Amino acid sequence: MNIGIIGSGGLGSNVARALAKKGIAATIANRRGPASLAPLVAELGASITAGTVAEAASADIVLVAVRWTDLGTALTGLPAWNKRIVIDGTNPVEFLDPNSPDAKDPSNPLAAYGIKAIDLGGRSSSEVFQEHVPGARVVKALNHLDVNVLAQPEVSGGQRVQFYAGDDMEAKLAVRKVLEAIGYFPVDLGSLAAGGRLSQLPFGALSATNFIKI
């Protein structure tokens, strides 16, 4: 299966680095166009290529690695998903301007981290995410860790644990194989409704937990 990555920020670029270390091919894209990714693909080598968002979205497995507030823009006008696998790497948080009143809001427990939680009305983030990719088979993964450690799946003599969740067993197996090929130790959290909530930032019970399988 070929892999596409939509988004070239910390999440997308570090997953691309992890793939490149294993020589796994992928197409990475952002809304600024392939030319803007020339330095990144030069760093990563021949297995990672830059493409358009539509090209990345046409892959068999597509990682969506954009900010929550950019989902509507990033996923509009793309080819029909037709049961392709989409990895939801997003979290329902908004990044704050450090000079804005929100960044100093005493009622926001996350203000010190430069973010605030987005109210989803009781729904899990993946439930909302699915509405942006109708017809796709969604698997939640690659969202619960600090993006800066994603390029180091093998560390301290072991494998970094990577949680994943989904409702389609075939799609989950395909994502598990990718995670294993990168070098992570995948742990299945079950359904999107249950497992997705456990791993989603900022308040999931397993969010930001950095386990190493020895």
Side-chain angles (χ1 to χ4, degrees):
M1 287 189 172
N2 52 39
I3 298 170
I5 301 172
I6 299 175
S8 60
L11 173 57
S13 63
N14 281 310
V15 171
R17 289 185 177 96
L19 291 166
K21 285 179 181 178
K22 299 295 185 179
I24 301 171
T27 299
I28 188 167
N30 63 26
R31 59 186 174 186
R32 297 184 299 279
S36 69
L37 294 165
L40 178 63
V41 296
E43 170 202 334
L44 299 182
S47 65
I48 307 298
T49 57
T52 65
V53 174
E55 288 168 341
S58 297
D60 299 313
I61 298 178
V62 180
L63 167 63
V64 176
V66 301
R67 291 185 175 188
W68 185 267
T69 51
D70 293 334
L71 276 175
T73 301
L75 300 178
T76 296
L78 296 179
W81 293 101
N82 293 332
K83 295 188 176 181
R84 293 196 312 286
I85 299 167
V86 175
I87 299 174
D88 172 15
T90 68
N91 287 299
V93 297
E94 180 181 348
F95 290 81
L96 303 174
D97 179 339
N99 298 314
S100 70
D102 281 342
K104 302 172 179 64
D105 182 359
S107 69
N108 175 13
L110 303 172
Y113 301 97
I115 59 175
K116 72 174 180 179
I118 294 174
D119 184 0
L120 301 181
R123 295 195 293 171
S124 71
S125 62
S126 287
E127 287 179 272
V128 179
F129 178 87
Q130 283 181 303
E131 296 174 359
H132 293 279
V133 289
R137 293 180 290 166
V138 174
V139 177
K140 187 80 169 175
L142 295 165
N143 68 291
H144 84 283
L145 292 174
D146 183 331
V147 295
N148 294 307
V149 306
L150 290 175
Q152 300 131 21
E154 296 162 320
V155 65
S156 301
Q159 296 170 278
R160 204 178 299 278
V161 170
Q162 189 62 247
F163 299 125
Y164 68 103
D167 299 328
D168 185 291
M169 293 304 297
E170 184 181 63
K172 286 207 294 186
L173 178 59
V175 171
R176 182 184 183 94
K177 288 180 177 178
V178 171
L179 296 175
E180 289 175 334
I182 291 173
Y184 295 116
F185 184 81
V187 173
D188 186 351
L189 295 182
S191 69
L192 278 178
R197 288 180 189 275
L198 286 173
S199 66
Q200 77 179 35
L201 277 72
F203 300 126
L206 294 174
S207 65
T209 52
N210 190 2
F211 295 126
I212 306 295
K213 168 68 166 62
I214 303 298

